[in-house]
Each structure stands twice: as structure tokens, then as C-alpha cells.
Amino acid sequence: MNNKDLIINTEKQAINIALLEEGKLLELHQEVFDKNFYVGDIYLGIVKKILHALNAAIIDIGYYKGGFLHYNDLGEHIKNLSNFTKKNKKDYCDLIKNSIENILCLGQKILVQISKEPISNKGPKLTTKISLPGRNLILIPFSNKIYASKKIKSIKEKNILISYIEKIKPKNIGCIIRTESSRKKEILNKELIHLMKKWKNILKNITLKKNPIKIFSESNITSCFLRDTFNNDFQSIYCDNIFLCKEMYSYLSIIAPKKTSIIKYHQESTPIFEKYGVEKQIEIFLGKNVPLKNGAYLVIEHTEALHVIDVNSGMNNHIKENSTELERIDNIFKINLLAATEIARQLRLRDMGGIIVVDFIDMSDSIQKNKLYEHLKEKMKGDRAKHHILPINEFGLVQFTRHRVRPEIKIKRNVKYTKNSSISYILHLECVIGNILKNENYKKIQLHIHTFVSSYLKIGFPSIQQKWFLKYKKWVKIIPNNSFQYTEYKIFEKNNKDEITSYFF
């Protein structure tokens, strides 16, 4: 069991949600109030253009960029739209295998759902495979199939649930039984009735004359997040908005009445993200360089569809001159394991999508490579986004893909944490120093750093240097060096002999 806390910060323009696991920031989500398009929203759109080369269509749903609907995202029920083709019904089943232009025509009304929000200069991605998610079930109109989540391991349990849903569901309605679904039949029945009411309301709205038009929208992001993720691991929910607290209380009283007491209203003057350490973690772990324990770090480079992550040991990083070859190999393996754990968290935290390439520190041992690969897969199991990981290749690279459905989140910082990189640098330095001082092998260390930064760390009472001593019970000797860049440092053990790590922020 991993203890989880939810921290919710409300602003004039957005709601920011931070998920902490054992105190570490794991996910960030944001709902912008003036945003019009969310994953799951359903529209009655109009076919504006057929893209013959891509076997796709552009659908007008009221966004300045048309929505993109690919042939592969047409549901089976589209076969019922044979009246929109010039071909006779006999040939229709053959035509549907070939091209979208034989199925859709310009000006046609079509029911679509957003599967991926607008990202960068791209319009929303659409599908006609409509689905309505609940906490226990996902309703699939125009289908008769029933599925159970692959994560429900017991075949017997799956068959019992499928058999029950088969008896109570209407015709031409399919269902997916979710992993966390209740095994109580009365709860499943109530949710199915609730989802069917939603679907009937959608069908009523289709008759409206105005096109294009939104005919269904998901409830707010907070309720959706609780619906999809809430379980017994959640220990506390802190929120600085009393109305949102009441709304969450009402929702939890339905899905988990015994857990309503975990909702806490934050009334203090200290900003909620600052109070619970979220802001500090954002500054430390959402930069280009991400510190790991014992001086190692990740360097993360982004493009629109490709992300490159380099694992850096931090120069020698405890690999001392008198170390044996076996000790060096073991040390590199441990650094790679730490990096894999952090990489799995970073992908969720930043919601990185597309192709990800990770350059681990080279390892020659095939057994260690396989262990690292399995460790990475294990840590990625908690990621709800679809992903596929390839084994480590001969160059020490791991390549995998991860599906992102929303644009990158941009969290506003409090004034205390400005865009000036100096604050982030000091927080990063404190994180690295703390990780090293927690290691019992290091009794005394020296920090070599630019003269200006050295003065900043020593000034005041208590100074940052003194605070480190009070916190870790170990003294950090600070050596000023004018030849260093402002954000450059080196950390040595004891008498300037063994370099632990060096870094340029």
C-alpha cells in the first residue's frame, strides 16, 4: 500500500491538482476554466473536408482548427450510415474496408468524441467510437460486446461479472468492466442505469438544429480524477476552496462514504502548494536537469514528439580510484535503477508523450540489463497512459512510446519562486547535498562553488550552511572558486581527494 495525498489549488482561471505518493510529487493536472475542449466531450459535428491521402476527414466542431478523424477511428456502427454513400447497399460492406470517402461526405452530420485535446498547432483528435465512463463500468453505445479489464486476474470472477452485465444491459449497448469496479451487483446495476440516462440525454440533444454543437461534456476534472483513481491508498485530500470541498464530499459519499473524512479545507494564509511542499518539488523536479540520490542526475530534452533522457552519474560519483571493477559495475547498475525509478515518475509528472529515448549508463552485463528493463516495466505499471517499452539495445538505449491525450501543463509559480533560475539552482543544490549527507559513508564533504554563491550560502543567521548542519548533523565545508561559472559546483569527500559529483546547472 502506497500512501497518497491529493493537494488541490484553485485560482481565478484554473484548478491545479497535485498527486503525492509517500510525499513525492507524482502527477500534476490542470483544468482551465475558459477551455472549451476536453477528452471525452461529445459533439455533433459536420464533415468539412476529406483528406484522401491520409484516409481521414476534417470535422468542424466549433474549434478554429478542424478535428481530425481517421478511418481507423470510425466505429462499427458507421456501417448503418449507408444512406450517405452513392453506392448500393450490396457493395457497402466491401467499400467500408477501403476508404473513408466512401463512408462520409461533405456537409454530413456526425457524432464524434474527443480522444485527444488540441496540442500545439494541431486540432483535436476525434473518434466515432463513443464511450461513457463511470467508476465501475464504461458504457459503449452501438456495440453488443462486453469486456472485463485485463487487470482483473481471476477468470472465474471475470466470467461472473460478464454474465451479470449480459443479463441487465439493453440491446446494442456494450460495456467494459473496470479494474476497480465494485463486485456488488446492485452497485453495477445502479451505475448502468445512470450511464444509460446520460446516453438517452445525448440522443435527445442530437435532434437540435444548430450545428456544430457540444452535446455532452465530462464533469469537472476533480470528480473525473477521483472517479478514475480513488482507492484506499488515499489518506488525505487538501483543498483551498470550500465549494470544491463540498462537491468532493458529495461525490465521495456516493463512491466511498467511509472516506469522506479525509477531505480537509485549507484555510491558512500560506499557499496550499507551498504548505505541502508541492511548489518546491515543481521547482526542483520540473527543470531540464533532475537530481537523483548520491549526486547522479537526469538531463531531459523535449521536442513536440520526441523526448531524450540522459542518465548522468555526476562525474565519478563514488567510483573511487581504489574501487574494484566489480564495485564499479555494481555502482553503475544502482545508478541506472535509481534513474529508471525517477524516469517512470517524470513521464507521469510531465505527461510526456510520443517517442521517449533513454540513454542509460553503459552496462556490459546482460543479466543486469535485463533486471534494469524489468525494473523499468515494473515502475511503469502505475502509469495509466498507454505505453510500450522496448528492451535495452546494444548501445544502452531504451526506446518506448507513451500516449498523451492532453497538452503539457503549465503551472503558475508563486511570486516566491520566480522564473529566475537562481532559486531553482539553490533548491537543486540543497536536494543534492541532502542526498549525499544522508549516506552514512560520507562524514565530511566539501562544496566547491562560485564565490558569489558561496557568500549567499554563508550569509545570515542561521545561514543555509548552518541549516544544513542542523538538519543533517554533518558540516559542509564551502570553498569559493572564482574560476567557476555561477551555476557550477563540485563536491568532494573529506580533504579534496575523492570527487563525489560535479554539475553545471
Side-chain angles (χ1 to χ4, degrees):
M1 179 176 174
N2 297 318
N3 293 334
K4 294 178 181 177
D5 298 302
L6 208 58
I7 316 298
I8 303 173
N9 162 238
T10 56
E11 300 174 346
K12 289 183 179 179
Q13 300 297 324
I15 296 175
N16 300 313
I17 300 175
L19 176 64
L20 305 183
E21 186 173 278
E22 302 296 345
K24 291 195 75 175
L25 184 59
L26 189 64
E27 292 183 22
L28 279 172
H29 300 271
Q30 187 178 74
E31 178 180 19
V32 180
F33 295 138
D34 60 356
K35 186 175 166 184
N36 295 318
F37 300 92
Y38 290 96
V39 170
D41 288 354
I42 298 175
Y43 286 80
L44 186 60
I46 301 173
V47 179
K48 283 296 183 184
K49 189 175 182 181
I50 303 294
L51 305 175
H52 304 280
L54 298 176
N55 202 11
I58 298 298
I59 311 297
D60 180 11
I61 60 171
Y63 188 59
Y64 79 98
K65 282 268 187 181
F68 183 82
L69 176 63
H70 192 269
Y71 170 82
N72 292 334
D73 293 313
L74 293 175
E76 292 296 320
H77 65 284
I78 284 292
K79 293 178 180 179
N80 296 325
L81 300 175
S82 57
N83 57 308
F84 291 111
T85 179
K86 296 178 182 178
K87 306 294 180 180
N88 61 53
K89 200 168 184 178
K90 182 180 177 182
D91 299 328
Y92 189 72
C93 289
D94 294 328
L95 287 169
I96 203 161
K97 297 175 184 178
N98 298 325
S99 174
I100 198 169
E101 63 184 304
N102 294 319
I103 302 168
L104 303 181
C105 62
L106 297 180
Q108 175 184 336
K109 296 178 183 180
I110 187 168
L111 193 66
V112 292
Q113 188 169 33
I114 294 180
S115 60
K116 189 173 183 178
E117 291 175 17
I119 295 176
S120 187
N121 62 344
K122 298 177 182 177
K125 188 178 179 184
L126 307 175
T127 180
T128 64
K129 301 172 185 177
I130 308 299
S131 62
L132 299 175
R135 178 162 174 80
N136 302 285
L137 300 170
I138 298 175
L139 193 75
I140 310 173
F142 312 117
S143 172
N144 271 313
K145 296 180 180 178
I146 302 173
Y147 307 91
S149 169
K150 292 178 181 178
K151 293 182 181 179
I152 300 176
K153 302 299 181 184
S154 171
I155 296 175
K156 182 180 178 181
E157 187 177 12
K158 278 186 180 181
N159 291 335
I160 291 172
L161 290 169
I162 290 173
S163 177
Y164 177 70
I165 297 298
E166 181 71 50
K167 291 176 183 176
I168 64 173
K169 78 172 187 65
K171 289 183 179 180
N172 298 321
I173 292 292
C175 286
I176 298 174
I177 302 166
R178 305 188 73 169
T179 307
E180 299 293 335
S181 77
S182 170
R183 305 309 185 245
K184 294 181 180 179
K185 293 180 179 180
E186 60 270 21
I187 292 178
L188 294 174
N189 189 41
K190 282 182 180 178
E191 183 157 273
L192 182 60
I193 293 170
H194 174 69
L195 292 173
M196 280 303 301
K197 284 182 179 177
K198 275 188 181 181
W199 176 237
K200 287 175 181 177
N201 287 332
I202 289 171
L203 292 176
K204 287 178 183 177
N205 290 333
I206 290 177
T207 59
L208 295 173
K209 294 182 179 180
K210 183 183 176 184
N211 297 106
I213 187 171
K214 182 191 290 188
I215 56 177
F216 173 78
S217 182
E218 285 282 11
S219 53
N220 66 65
I221 189 174
T222 310
S223 296
C224 290
F225 187 82
L226 290 175
R227 179 196 68 202
D228 294 338
T229 65
F230 188 84
N231 55 36
N232 288 328
D233 289 350
F234 281 74
Q235 302 301 305
S236 301
I237 299 176
Y238 299 98
C239 178
D240 57 7
N241 184 291
I242 187 63
F243 299 106
L244 196 53
C245 284
K246 290 178 179 179
E247 189 175 308
M248 288 188 292
Y249 185 92
S250 297
Y251 186 70
L252 279 191
S253 64
I254 298 171
I255 67 168
K258 294 181 180 179
K259 299 283 281 185
T260 53
S261 60
I262 70 172
I263 300 172
K264 312 281 174 54
Y265 175 43
H266 176 81
Q267 302 183 65
E268 300 177 27
S269 57
T270 306
I272 192 168
F273 269 17
E274 185 177 336
K275 165 76 174 179
Y276 296 102
V278 176
E279 193 69 39
K280 187 174 181 179
Q281 291 196 56
I282 288 172
E283 292 291 343
I284 294 173
F285 294 110
L286 282 181
K288 175 183 175 182
N289 303 298
V290 179
L292 303 174
K293 291 181 180 179
N294 298 330
Y297 59 94
L298 306 177
V299 180
I300 303 177
E301 299 282 358
H302 298 277
T303 66
E304 186 174 337
L306 174 68
H307 309 273
V308 179
I309 303 176
D310 179 52
V311 181
N312 196 308
S313 66
M315 298 296 288
N316 294 322
N317 197 60
H318 326 313
I319 305 177
K320 302 177 183 178
E321 293 180 5
N322 59 350
S323 298
T324 65
E325 185 63 23
L326 188 61
E327 288 174 331
R328 290 171 181 267
I329 292 172
D330 185 58
N331 186 70
I332 288 172
F333 178 56
K334 288 178 179 177
I335 292 171
N336 280 337
L337 288 178
L338 278 174
T341 301
E342 182 60 31
I343 286 165
R345 181 173 78 115
Q346 285 291 322
L347 298 187
R348 293 174 67 179
L349 188 55
R350 299 172 188 243
D351 197 16
M352 292 161 63
I355 301 170
I356 297 107
V357 178
V358 182
D359 184 8
F360 285 102
I361 303 171
D362 289 342
M363 298 185 301
S364 56
D365 190 326
S366 59
I367 295 176
Q368 286 188 341
K369 283 185 178 181
N370 188 56
K371 285 182 178 179
L372 176 61
Y373 175 60
E374 293 299 325
H375 178 79
L376 182 58
K377 287 200 298 182
E378 181 64 29
K379 293 300 178 182
M380 287 293 294
K381 281 184 178 179
D383 194 342
R384 290 178 291 137
K386 293 180 182 178
H387 58 273
H388 178 66
I389 311 173
L390 296 176
I392 302 173
N393 66 21
E394 58 184 311
F395 304 108
L397 299 176
V398 172
Q399 303 173 64
F400 55 96
T401 56
R402 184 176 183 274
H403 185 56
R404 185 180 70 184
V405 297
R406 292 181 174 88
E408 183 180 353
I409 295 173
K410 295 180 180 179
I411 298 291
K412 290 183 179 180
R413 268 65 164 174
N414 291 334
V415 177
K416 184 175 179 180
Y417 300 108
T418 65
K419 292 182 179 179
N420 191 315
S421 62
S422 61
I423 298 297
S424 296
Y425 172 57
I426 296 300
L427 290 171
H428 160 85
L429 184 61
E430 181 178 342
C431 183
V432 173
I433 292 287
N435 286 331
I436 293 173
L437 293 179
K438 288 174 185 175
N439 191 323
E440 294 181 359
N441 295 325
Y442 299 107
K443 305 299 181 184
K444 295 179 181 179
I445 63 172
Q446 288 185 3
L447 172 63
H448 292 243
I449 204 160
H450 188 273
T451 305
F452 176 80
V453 184
S454 169
S455 299
Y456 179 79
L457 296 174
K458 294 178 179 180
I459 197 170
F461 181 81
S463 65
I464 293 175
Q465 183 185 32
Q466 290 166 337
K467 287 179 180 178
W468 289 345
F469 177 71
L470 293 171
K471 187 174 182 179
Y472 301 107
K473 311 304 181 193
K474 294 178 184 178
W475 184 253
V476 179
K477 187 175 182 180
I478 299 176
I479 311 293
N481 191 325
N482 258 333
S483 66
F484 279 22
Q485 297 292 325
Y486 281 109
T487 56
E488 181 182 1
Y489 67 79
K490 289 186 178 182
I491 299 175
F492 293 88
E493 182 184 6
K494 295 182 180 179
N495 300 317
N496 200 15
K497 290 182 179 180
D498 298 313
E499 184 177 312
I500 299 174
T501 186
S502 64
Y503 194 76
F504 184 80
F505 188 75

